[in-house]
């Protein structure tokens, strides 16, 4: 797991990381540049349900953020909403020290 901090308050670096994860999860069918340029939904980009599951696994493994699929999952609609969800989850973590 890669340590993720809140030193990126606007989420720019996290956006790039998650866009890269989408590219890997899609086996390169969607580039990170496409994800970053797109203002639309992941579905419009061609993200499949399998890609979404791979992406969620990567987020959990690389960022240490568990994604609960039991409730409202509107945050999975696109990059910005997903990054906002991740940032909120990181902010809610107890501070270790």
């Amino acid at each position: 797991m890669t340590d993720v901090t809140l030193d990126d308050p606007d989420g720019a670096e996290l956006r790039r990381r998650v866009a890269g994860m989408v590219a890997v999860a899609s086996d390169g069918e969607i580039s990170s540049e496409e994800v970053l340029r797109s203002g639309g939904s992941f579905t419009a980009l061609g993200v499949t349900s399998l890609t979404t599951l791979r992406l969620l696994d990567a987020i959990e493994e690389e960022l240490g953020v568990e994604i609960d699929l039991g409730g409202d999952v509107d945050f999975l609609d696109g990059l910005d909403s997903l990054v906002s969800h991740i940032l909120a989850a990181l902010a809610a973590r107890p501070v270790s020290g």
Side-chain angles (χ1 to χ4, degrees), residues 38-92:
S38 172
S41 71
F42 282 150
T43 303
L45 280 172
V47 172
T48 65
S49 57
L50 178 58
T51 298
T52 300
L53 290 175
R54 289 177 176 169
L55 174 61
L56 295 178
D57 282 344
I59 290 169
E60 290 180 4
E61 184 174 316
E62 293 182 33
L63 304 178
V65 174
E66 290 198 28
I67 306 291
D68 180 13
L69 298 177
D72 181 15
V73 292
D74 286 345
F75 62 87
L76 291 174
D77 286 344
L79 180 63
D80 291 333
S81 58
L82 180 55
V83 167
S84 292
H85 184 80
I86 293 168
L87 286 171
L90 291 171

Side-chain angles (χ1 to χ4, degrees), residues 4-52:
V4 178
T5 65
L6 294 176
D7 295 339
D8 181 26
D10 66 352
E13 178 59 29
L14 184 57
R15 284 182 93 249
R16 285 188 287 278
R17 286 182 69 182
V18 173
M21 289 181 202
V22 172
V24 170
S26 72
D27 292 328
E29 294 202 18
I30 303 166
S31 71
S32 59
E33 292 80 16
E34 288 176 291
V35 176
L36 289 168
R37 280 194 312 260
S38 172
S41 71
F42 282 150
T43 303
L45 280 172
V47 172
T48 65
S49 57
L50 178 58
T51 298
T52 300

